[in-house]
Amino acid sequence: MPAIDLTNITAGYPGKPRPALSGVTLRADRETVALLGPNGSGKSTLMRVLTGLHTPEAGRVVAPNDRADFSVVFQSPAVDDLLTVRENLTLAAALHGANKAAANRRIEALTDPLGLADILGTRCATLSGGQRRRADLARALMPAPKVLVLDEPTTGLDIDARARFWQTLDSIRATEQLTVLLATHLADEAERCDRVALLREGGLIADASPSELRAPLGERAARIDLRPGHSDQPVRTWIDACDADARWWSAGAIIPNADARLIDTCPMDHATISLGAPTLEDAYLWHTAEESVAIT
Amino acid sequence: MTAFGALLRRELLRQARQPTRIIASVGTPALIWIFFAAGFTSINLGMDTSMRTFLVPGIASMTVLFASVFGAISLIQDRQDGFLRAALVSPAPRLSIAGAKIAAGALIATLQGLIVLLILPLTGAPVTALGLLGAAGILALISAALIGLGLTLAWRVDSTSGFHGVMNTVLMPLWLLSGAVFPIETAAPWLSTLAKANPLTWAHEAMRHALGMNPDANHTLAWAITIAASLAGAAAATATIGRSRD
């Protein structure tokens, strides 16, 4: 049985006309799955359903029976600023039923991979953003969970701290059998995952590996970004003339299998164009595009 | 250590590491007693007890009221900081989350209330160890009732500033209408009737009886109502915390 097994989940909130989730099915086992989608797409609700904080109106949730097998890293660190890192970790272990000796053994095991040695005795209020994140990840890993849920875990971190966070998580994943579910709106973080589930307006619109999501764009894609304050009509006319199978997103377009000569004809006064191997961000814009302007 | 024990330890550590909060919880009521006692010094309400002595149990319960406000605010902060969600998704019983907050708050509030009661000898009132023990019991019961009520109200409030509105419209009137600062026997009949419906009034009756200030009080009824109020407050908080707010 998969560690995470969500079938046909529909969930909403009172007073909201549209359900936050509509018929979402998702499974994961000993892999890292990213939930990628715009704000309001249902990522957080899916996390809440999975962790038991929100009861769905319909569907089946199969998650680890024992809540000790679950841990969550939230958007903001859930460590207590008035306690030291060690006190926070001991508390997390106690909440999962571990005694002090077991907690100390686990802290020892996590100290090196998470780089905690220098901060164990430090109150969390005085830690840097990156250190607090590592302390929070250690808190979540204290019960040695089978499923780790990460809800936009690098929000507010600088580039260096983000890179360190992912290095740390990768080293943990190398040694522990973890199923990781990551909610993010950052394509480069989703790129690190085995699979990416794309959500839009509460529905699951794609569930595939990053390379499979990029496949429809071919070997080279053109990304068109409209210049602010300029009409999109000249760009639409140009794409019509190019006979390109483009899809529009809110501020531009993506053209798959793009010809390098597009650069020569793009109306640069109205848009910029970048051409290259498609990124997951291009694929995300392609799959979540609301308007398809396939032109023949 | 059990989840309850670990959460209780956390609450006590948090209290110990915020000394200004402890000082404010005792210092502010003590100042209010000084001002009230000095202000009411020439007022004779026909009691055997002086006004400055009469005020002390009410001021002690005010420290408990402040503790309940701080406890409620800490719940809101826990939610804002994400700590509460982490606790709620853990296998720890939800009962232990509310239980630890009530137990830690009641312990601290009772100690603070006892410190305030040490004013009594300064007013010339005789104080016995047994009297203080009885008053401590009442303070612990009031703490459970008020902290439970505070946590229950705070569960639906999103910000600490929003909770100040709850405090001003619910908790402060509850305290003022309890015989804390004036004897309800000499109040207007409608006010006296209203005050008798307030469990905190009976807690004050029981505390003053324990301290030998009101020997004619129906202390059995007063204790029973206070115990019932504390159980109701604690039950409301434990039933509310962990319930979905969606």
Side-chain angles (χ1 to χ4, degrees):
Chain A
M1 181 184 292
I4 295 171
D5 189 353
L6 304 175
T7 306
N8 242 347
I9 300 295
T10 296
Y13 299 97
K16 297 283 173 70
R18 180 176 67 80
L21 289 174
S22 183
V24 171
T25 295
L26 186 72
R27 292 181 180 85
D29 194 39
R30 295 182 186 184
E31 59 190 327
T32 302
V33 178
L35 291 176
L36 192 61
N39 292 334
S41 60
K43 300 188 299 290
S44 292
T45 303
L46 190 62
M47 295 293 202
R48 290 174 60 82
V49 167
L50 182 65
T51 53
L53 291 174
H54 188 90
T55 307
E57 279 91 61
R60 188 173 61 108
V61 181
V62 178
N65 290 327
D66 187 349
R67 292 173 79 85
D69 289 338
F70 242 118
S71 258
V72 186
V73 172
F74 299 100
Q75 285 178 25
S76 54
V79 289
D80 188 325
D81 280 350
L82 289 173
L83 303 189
T84 66
V85 173
R86 181 180 285 279
E87 286 166 346
N88 269 291
L89 300 185
T90 307
L91 174 59
L95 290 179
H96 286 79
N99 61 29
K100 197 168 183 183
N104 284 335
R105 282 197 300 275
R106 184 66 176 156
I107 291 171
E108 290 299 314
L110 292 174
T111 295
D112 274 348
L114 271 76
L116 301 174
D118 295 338
I119 59 171
L120 276 175
T122 307
R123 282 196 203 172
C124 289
T126 62
L127 299 177
S128 68
Q131 288 172 326
R132 291 185 88 222
R133 264 297 167 205
R134 289 208 305 282
D136 194 43
L137 180 59
R139 172 198 61 75
L141 291 168
M142 277 303 285
K146 289 179 182 162
V147 174
L148 182 63
V149 177
L150 305 171
D151 190 2
E152 299 183 12
T154 58
T155 301
L157 292 188
D158 61 29
I159 294 170
D160 183 66
R162 274 183 62 202
R164 177 101 194 254
F165 178 87
W166 285 108
Q167 280 175 357
T168 304
L169 188 64
D170 287 344
S171 72
I172 292 291
R173 284 184 59 211
T175 55
E176 306 199 5
Q177 296 282 341
L178 267 177
T179 299
V180 179
L181 189 65
L182 164 72
T184 184
H185 54 262
L186 300 174
D188 64 320
E189 291 190 345
E191 185 82 60
R192 295 172 161 273
C193 299
D194 302 310
R195 273 172 40 223
V196 180
L198 292 181
L199 287 167
R200 192 186 67 194
E201 294 179 356
L204 187 67
I205 56 172
D207 180 3
S209 68
S211 59
E212 287 169 335
L213 287 175
R214 285 192 298 267
L217 297 177
E219 292 190 358
R220 186 164 50 197
R223 174 164 165 178
I224 316 297
D225 289 270
L226 294 172
R227 291 189 188 279
H230 286 69
S231 165
D232 62 348
Q233 200 50 53
V235 181
R236 286 181 182 272
T237 306
W238 167 68
I239 288 177
D240 280 356
C242 293
D243 195 19
D245 180 19
R247 281 189 187 178
W248 283 84
W249 50 286
S250 61
I254 298 286
I255 302 174
N257 301 304
D259 189 315
R261 286 170 296 183
L262 283 173
I263 288 181
D264 300 331
T265 57
C266 178
M268 296 293 191
D269 289 346
H270 295 271
T272 60
I273 180 169
S274 53
L275 213 65
T279 64
L280 187 58
E281 188 169 307
D282 296 333
Y284 166 82
L285 293 172
W286 173 263
H287 288 284
T288 58
E290 294 182 10
E291 178 193 1
S292 175
V293 286
I295 295 156
T296 55
Chain B
M1 188 181 286
T2 62
F4 172 80
L7 287 166
L8 180 62
R9 180 172 179 269
R10 169 191 180 247
E11 295 292 338
L12 294 175
L13 279 173
R14 284 177 61 84
Q15 291 276 355
R17 288 172 186 175
Q18 299 175 91
T20 51
R21 179 177 283 194
I22 296 173
I23 292 165
S25 294
V26 178
T28 307
L31 273 178
I32 290 172
W33 174 78
I34 290 169
F35 297 150
F36 275 21
F40 293 152
T41 193
S42 60
I43 295 175
N44 184 345
L45 294 171
M47 300 179 295
D48 296 337
T49 311
S50 71
M51 194 64 191
R52 59 183 182 173
T53 301
F54 174 84
L55 286 169
V56 175
I59 298 297
S61 72
M62 180 187 250
T63 64
V64 173
L65 182 80
F66 283 4
S68 84
V69 171
F70 286 136
I73 286 174
S74 81
L75 180 73
I76 296 168
Q77 286 173 335
D78 279 354
R79 189 166 59 232
Q80 289 172 340
D81 296 344
F83 179 84
L84 189 63
R85 275 189 300 175
L88 289 175
V89 300
S90 79
R94 296 187 173 190
L95 188 68
S96 64
I97 299 168
K101 281 213 176 283
I102 292 171
L107 183 63
I108 300 285
T110 303
L111 290 174
Q112 290 171 338
L114 277 171
I115 291 170
V116 171
L117 289 180
L118 293 179
I119 294 172
L120 276 173
L122 302 177
T123 70
V127 179
T128 64
L130 196 63
L132 277 179
L133 192 65
I138 288 292
L139 283 171
L141 292 170
I142 300 173
S143 305
L146 287 180
I147 295 170
L149 177 63
L151 294 175
T152 305
L153 296 172
W155 184 250
R156 289 272 164 197
V157 180
D158 288 323
S159 66
T160 52
S161 55
F163 188 76
H164 287 295
V166 173
M167 184 185 112
N168 290 334
T169 54
V170 180
L171 297 176
M172 280 306 286
L174 199 68
W175 178 78
L176 283 168
L177 197 61
S178 66
V181 286
F182 55 84
I184 59 167
E185 293 81 6
T186 55
W190 67 268
L191 193 64
S192 180
T193 305
L194 212 56
K196 281 179 181 164
N198 180 0
L200 204 50
T201 303
W202 295 94
H204 284 133
E205 287 273 309
M207 189 159 29
R208 289 196 174 102
H209 181 268
L211 292 166
M213 294 163 59
N214 187 6
D216 299 331
N218 185 348
H219 65 280
T220 309
L221 179 64
W223 272 88
I225 291 174
T226 309
I227 290 169
S230 72
L231 291 174
T238 50
T240 304
I241 291 180
R243 187 183 293 168
S244 173
R245 297 174 74 243
D246 299 326

